[in-house]
Amino acid sequence: MRLDIESLRTFKTVLELGGITRAAKHLNLTQSAVSHKLARLEERVGRPILMKSEGGFLPTSDGQGLLHYAERLISIHDEAAQHFRSSDLAGNIRLGSTEDATSKKLAKVLGRFGRLHPNVSINARVAQSLVLQFWLTTAEVDLAILQIFVDDKEPDDLELWREDLVWARATDHAVALGRTIPFVSFDKNCFYRLTAMRHLVDTGRSLNVVLECPSKEGVRAGIRNGFGIGLLSRRNLTEGLEELEADLPRLPQVCHVLRSRNDSPSKVERNLTEAILQEMQEEL
């Protein structure tokens, strides 16, 4: 049995993006080419690896096992190929990032990038989005992955993914919502908190910040234990949290973007930008 890398890449992309059409566009292939690669891969494995669902495709139990190997094989293949293309890259770059982006895939990207380009020095710092914006203006970082409202994107921003911002409450604890709302906030630099205050003014309500915590886990724990409500992206509604159905203002979508402070980025920055986009940019 021989499993070719591009068929494995196609299989992985179909599952990540949820369908053949999106995968074909992402891989710059025709839909028939994607279907052919999947059929050939399934024939070589000798077992069903995909099943259809309402949202697109899901892996079978054998497909889940194959996906595990596919991710490792593709990563090693791309790392080896990139090594012989760009191993002479050298320089320094300072990167800022939100906690969400760091916990998503960024650590994997930076680890691989560092192995491929041992002569590149990367200094990465994690902070809230408003702080990251300030660091860009003061030249404390060269590049930043930050979260903003979709309508606030700048012309040169590279969008990575979008999320719905929702009011979150504990599943097992009721919270009384009067004119003053108990609110769990990341910190004073949390733009969720500033946005909530601004949107609540028109309703005659205000926030009472009952907990400030810079970490995502701390904020979720505060909400989960009924200390107050908060604002979270929908994908951060983990077990014990749910979207609050109440007469609170609906908030616009947020997105993570990759933003540079340089009009003419260095070769190192261009290569790191490409690596981040390849791994972290989602189909919009």
Side-chain angles (χ1 to χ4, degrees):
M1 182 192 301
R2 292 190 177 184
L3 304 176
D4 70 277
I5 291 294
E6 294 314 310
S7 291
L8 291 172
R9 191 189 307 279
T10 300
F11 170 62
K12 176 174 176 283
T13 304
V14 167
L15 289 174
E16 286 179 343
L17 300 184
I20 289 176
T21 302
R22 290 180 176 178
K25 182 179 178 182
H26 183 79
L27 295 169
N28 198 27
L29 297 170
T30 63
Q31 292 184 44
S32 59
V34 170
S35 297
H36 175 70
K37 286 179 181 291
L38 293 176
R40 184 173 60 181
L41 182 60
E42 192 166 72
E43 181 181 345
R44 288 183 175 179
V45 172
R47 305 174 191 177
I49 57 174
L50 286 172
M51 55 184 176
K52 286 189 175 181
S53 69
E54 291 184 3
F57 287 94
L58 292 173
T60 62
S61 57
D62 288 319
Q64 189 64 51
L66 180 62
L67 179 62
H68 171 70
Y69 289 112
E71 289 172 339
R72 293 163 61 191
L73 289 167
I74 292 167
S75 177
I76 293 170
H77 171 276
D78 291 352
E79 187 172 319
Q82 185 68 19
H83 173 77
F84 291 100
R85 283 201 303 266
S86 305
S87 57
D88 61 337
L89 193 67
N92 303 292
I93 190 162
R94 299 163 301 169
L95 174 70
S97 172
T98 63
E99 182 187 6
D100 256 5
T102 305
S103 59
K104 191 174 175 61
K105 290 182 178 177
L106 184 60
K108 180 179 177 182
V109 174
L110 296 182
R112 181 187 301 161
F113 192 86
R115 293 191 298 274
L116 292 174
H117 309 292
N119 296 319
V120 174
S121 174
I122 303 177
N123 176 261
R125 303 167 69 185
V126 177
Q128 297 289 329
S129 292
L130 292 180
V131 175
L132 294 172
Q133 291 183 49
F134 177 72
W135 286 350
L136 283 168
T137 60
T138 57
E140 293 183 60
V141 295
D142 304 301
L143 195 64
I145 301 175
L146 52 94
Q147 191 181 66
I148 56 175
F149 288 109
V150 171
D151 292 342
D152 293 333
K153 280 196 306 180
E154 296 183 358
D156 293 329
D157 284 344
L158 300 173
E159 186 171 338
L160 298 176
W161 72 89
R162 294 187 182 189
E163 299 179 277
D164 293 325
L165 194 60
V166 299
W167 296 94
R169 52 155 286 174
T171 303
D172 299 328
H173 301 281
V175 177
L177 299 180
R179 294 181 64 84
T180 302
I181 296 175
F183 189 76
V184 179
S185 173
F186 283 90
D187 59 25
K188 64 182 179 181
N189 294 311
C190 173
F191 82 97
Y192 288 1
R193 169 177 168 179
L194 299 176
T195 300
M197 293 170 63
R198 192 163 58 246
H199 280 75
L200 284 171
V201 167
D202 296 335
T203 69
R205 286 169 154 168
S206 62
L207 292 183
N208 174 30
V209 178
V210 294
L211 174 64
E212 283 188 2
C213 182
S215 78
K216 178 172 61 179
E217 285 306 317
V219 168
R220 288 197 292 210
I223 300 172
R224 189 183 300 115
N225 287 284
F227 202 37
I229 68 169
L231 282 174
L232 293 172
S233 59
R234 182 170 279 117
R235 73 173 69 190
N236 279 319
L237 293 178
T238 51
E239 185 177 356
L241 300 174
E242 64 184 20
E243 184 174 350
L244 175 63
E245 301 292 342
D247 59 338
L248 294 174
R250 184 182 178 88
L251 299 173
Q253 269 194 324
V254 293
C255 63
H256 266 82
V257 298
L258 185 61
R259 181 179 294 177
S260 173
R261 73 173 186 87
N262 301 306
D263 293 330
S264 300
S266 66
K267 185 178 180 181
V268 170
E269 182 176 328
R270 293 197 303 271
N271 275 263
L272 181 58
T273 295
E274 181 182 348
I276 291 172
L277 291 176
Q278 183 175 357
E279 188 70 36
M280 299 181 67
Q281 191 172 42
E282 296 182 3
E283 188 79 13
L284 300 179

